[in-house]
Amino acid sequence: MNVINPATEEIITTLQEDSPQNLADKLEVLRKGQQAWVKKSLPERIAILLTFSQLLATQIEDLALILTNEVGKPLQQSRNEINGARNRIKWMLENAEKFLSDEVMIDEPGLKEIIKYEPLGLVCNISAWNYPYLVGVNVFIPALLSGNAVMYKPSEYATLTGLEIEKLLKAAGVSDDAFQVAIGGKNVGDALLDLPFQGYFFTGSYKTGQYIYEKVAPKMVPCQLELGGKDPLYITEDVTDVKGTAAATADGAFYNNGQSCCAVERIYVHEKNYDEYVAAFVEEVKSWKQGLPTDEVYLAALTRKDQIAVLENQVSDALKKGAKLLNGGQNTSNKGYYFEPTVLTNVDHTMLVMKEESFGPIIGIMKVKDDDEALALMQDTEYGLTASVYTAKQERAEHILAQINSGSGYWNCCDRVSAALPWSGRKHSGIGATLSHLGLRAFTKPKGYHLRG
C-alpha cells in the first residue's frame, strides 16, 4: 500500500497491508491481553493515558509534520488538531472515575442496588483520515479507559499517523496485547467485520457506515457510526456585525479544506443582510492563501484525489441550473490535489451542492425571506449532524434549533465540538454518541446488582 503525499503526489513510503490471517492473529493477541488490561485499576489506566497525552505534547512538531505530509492539511492546523485531541483527553481523564465507577442507586437497610460498568471486551475502531487524532481519541481513549482491548484501523490515508499513535500509546504503558493496529484499505476493513469483536465504532461516510451496520447486525453487538452531514447555517436580519459573522462562518465552512463532518455545508441568509453578507464572505475567502501545507497557508491540498471530481461535478451541476460562481470552481494545480475555495450564489435545492455532502472547499449561499423559509430549507436533508443560527436573540435561535433533527445545535457559532457534550448524528449522520459521559459509557455494558443482606 503506497502512502502518497496529496500536496505533491510523491510516494512517502510503502506499507504491507494486513492479511485476514494477520488480523485473526492480532485479535487473538487482544483476546488474551484484554483480561490483563481490565485488571489494572481505573486510576492506573488514567495515569497511562495521561502519559500518552504528555508524549503527544513533547513530540508535537514531528507528529504534525507526519500528519500534514500524508493528509495535506496546513501544518498549523495539524498542530491545532493534536492540541485539540489533548484537550479532549484531559476532559475524559478528569471525568473517567465519575462516570465509569460503580453507581449506588439504592442504599437502605437490607438492600443495595448498584450499576457496574463492565467493558464490552474487544473493540474494533475503524477510523477516519480527516482528523485522525480528534476522531481517534473519541474512541480509543474511552475504550481503553473502560478496560477494553482495541483493534484500531486508521484510514489508509492516515496510516502513518495511526502507527505513531500506537507507538506513543505503548511508550506510555498500554500493553502490546491491549492495542493493535490494522493496516490497509477497504479489504482490511471488510475482514475486520468478519471477526468476532464485541463492539464496532466507525467514522466515515454514510454509504460505508450503512454497509458496516448491515454487515455486523447479526452479531447483535454495539455498532456506533459517526457519519457525514450537510450542515446548515442561518444568518438572521438582526445580526449587526455582518462582516465579522461572514469571516467566522467562512472559516466554519472552509477550515481543513471543508473536510469536516461538521463543516458548514450550506448557508441561508435573510434577504435584509444577504448582499452585505455575501460581499463580506467573498472578501474573506479571497484573502486566504492556498499552497503547500508546509508553508504558512490557510488552504492546502485535499486528502483524496477522487474528491476533486465530486466538487467539479457539484460546480458544473449548479452552474447549469442557474447558480452564479463568485470565487473558485476548479482544480488549481497540475501537481497535488488542490481545489480553489468556491462560493456559489443563486443556488436552490435542485442543485447537488445544496443536497449532497461536499466534503471540500465549496459552499452555496441562498437568500431567504424569513425564519419559516430558512427552517424549511434547513430541515430539507437526509442528514442530521449539526445546525447553526446567528441571531441577536438566544430564544429565537433555540426555537429554530429545537425544530431541526440534528445531534448538535449552535447559536452564534459553528463547526465546533466539546468533549463535555455528546457528539452524535441523526438520520444519515449516524447512530450512537461519543464524548461526554455518554461517550465514556458507550464502551461499557451496564450490569445491575440487587444485593440483599
Side-chain angles (χ1 to χ4, degrees):
M1 182 180 76
N2 289 331
V3 179
I4 297 172
N5 184 329
T8 64
E9 299 189 55
E10 295 171 347
I11 296 175
I12 300 171
T13 190
T14 300
L15 301 173
Q16 180 62 50
E17 292 195 28
D18 278 315
S19 68
Q21 185 57 55
N22 288 345
L23 297 174
D25 292 344
K26 289 181 177 182
L27 179 61
E28 188 57 30
V29 168
L30 293 175
R31 189 191 311 282
K32 294 176 180 177
Q34 192 264 333
Q35 293 305 312
W37 178 250
V38 75
K39 287 177 182 176
K40 290 184 182 293
S41 67
L42 182 54
E44 285 179 298
R45 296 197 292 270
I46 290 171
I48 288 169
L49 294 171
L50 176 59
T51 301
F52 168 70
S53 179
Q54 292 166 342
L55 290 173
L56 290 177
T58 61
Q59 299 188 34
I60 188 169
E61 289 304 317
D62 290 340
L63 298 173
L65 183 58
I66 290 169
L67 177 58
T68 285
N69 284 341
E70 67 176 344
V71 305
K73 69 174 64 183
L75 193 54
Q76 184 55 49
Q77 294 185 20
S78 290
R79 296 187 190 103
N80 294 346
E81 179 182 346
I82 295 167
N83 286 325
R86 293 191 66 237
N87 287 334
R88 290 189 192 177
I89 294 170
K90 181 176 184 290
W91 188 92
M92 293 176 196
L93 300 186
E94 290 176 349
N95 288 275
E97 290 198 70
K98 178 180 179 181
F99 294 117
L100 294 176
S101 298
D102 297 351
E103 282 189 289
V104 178
M105 309 305 292
I106 300 291
D107 190 2
E108 58 188 37
L111 176 65
K112 183 177 282 190
E113 295 180 350
I114 301 174
I115 302 173
K116 290 181 180 286
Y117 294 95
E118 300 176 349
L120 296 175
L122 303 175
V123 166
C124 179
N125 176 201
I126 301 175
S127 199
W129 52 263
N130 58 331
Y131 289 104
Y133 285 100
L134 288 170
V135 169
V137 301
N138 287 3
V139 175
F140 63 73
I141 293 294
L144 290 168
L145 281 171
S146 306
N148 298 280
V150 178
M151 179 81 82
Y152 174 66
K153 183 201 169 301
S155 165
E156 59 268 39
Y157 299 101
T159 304
L160 297 182
T161 291
L163 292 171
E164 291 298 316
I165 287 170
E166 178 188 35
K167 185 190 303 180
L168 295 188
L169 281 172
K170 292 178 179 178
V174 176
S175 56
D176 188 63
D177 54 8
F179 190 89
Q180 291 279 312
V181 172
I183 298 173
K186 181 181 183 299
N187 291 339
V188 170
D190 254 338
L192 290 171
L193 303 182
D194 293 329
L195 295 174
F197 288 98
Q198 284 137 354
Y200 288 86
F201 296 80
F202 168 74
T203 303
S205 70
Y206 162 70
K207 183 178 179 181
T208 303
Q210 181 186 43
Y211 173 78
I212 290 172
Y213 199 56
E214 292 174 349
K215 188 80 178 285
V216 305
K219 300 181 185 184
M220 298 189 70
V221 298
C223 179
Q224 287 199 180
L225 307 171
E226 181 189 328
L227 309 179
K230 194 65 185 174
D231 301 35
L233 181 147
Y234 172 39
I235 308 293
T236 67
E237 83 288 349
D238 65 8
V239 170
T240 54
D241 182 10
V242 175
K243 185 172 183 178
T245 299
T249 53
D251 181 68
F254 289 103
Y255 189 85
N256 194 30
N257 260 346
Q259 297 171 129
S260 305
C261 296
C262 57
V264 175
E265 288 239 349
R266 49 199 173 104
I267 299 176
Y268 306 97
V269 186
H270 194 283
E271 58 188 9
K272 291 184 179 179
N273 274 337
Y274 180 81
D275 290 339
E276 183 182 0
Y277 176 86
V278 169
F281 191 98
V282 173
E283 181 183 3
E284 175 68 17
V285 170
K286 287 181 179 292
S287 74
W288 295 333
K289 184 178 179 182
Q290 184 173 33
L292 287 173
T294 47
D295 293 341
E296 292 186 8
V297 298
Y298 178 80
L299 292 168
L302 295 168
T303 303
R304 299 174 303 165
K305 183 177 183 178
D306 292 349
Q307 198 64 18
I308 293 174
V310 173
L311 299 174
E312 288 175 338
N313 184 50
Q314 289 194 354
V315 172
S316 174
D317 171 77
L319 294 178
K320 287 177 183 176
K321 294 173 180 175
K324 184 177 180 181
L325 181 65
L326 300 188
N327 195 75
Q330 61 186 352
N331 185 356
T332 59
S333 175
N334 292 324
K335 182 182 287 187
Y337 313 148
Y338 292 90
F339 199 84
E340 293 176 304
T342 299
V343 182
L344 293 157
T345 56
N346 292 350
V347 293
D348 60 47
H349 278 218
T350 67
M351 301 174 187
L352 298 176
V353 72
M354 300 300 283
K355 297 289 286 184
E356 296 187 1
E357 187 176 23
S358 301
F359 223 68
I362 182 173
I363 196 73
I365 306 177
M366 187 172 177
K367 183 189 297 185
V368 295
K369 64 180 183 296
D370 55 27
D371 290 2
D372 288 341
E373 183 181 11
L375 180 58
L377 291 166
M378 294 171 82
Q379 291 171 318
D380 181 26
T381 180
E382 296 177 336
Y383 293 97
L385 192 58
T386 79
S388 310
V389 176
Y390 279 68
T391 175
K393 299 175 182 177
Q394 179 177 345
E395 183 179 2
R396 181 179 181 183
E398 289 194 48
H399 174 73
I400 294 169
L401 293 171
Q403 299 176 73
I404 298 174
N405 190 17
S406 64
S408 293
Y410 301 125
W411 173 46
N412 290 347
C413 58
C414 57
D415 187 33
R416 73 183 304 272
V417 181
S418 167
L421 297 179
W423 188 245
S424 62
R426 311 276 179 86
K427 301 188 286 185
H428 287 186
S429 289
I431 187 168
T434 54
L435 300 178
S436 77
H437 71 284
L438 298 174
L440 287 171
R441 290 175 175 171
F443 302 89
T444 68
K445 299 174 289 188
K447 180 181 285 185
Y449 279 77
H450 305 251
L451 307 174
R452 285 199 177 276

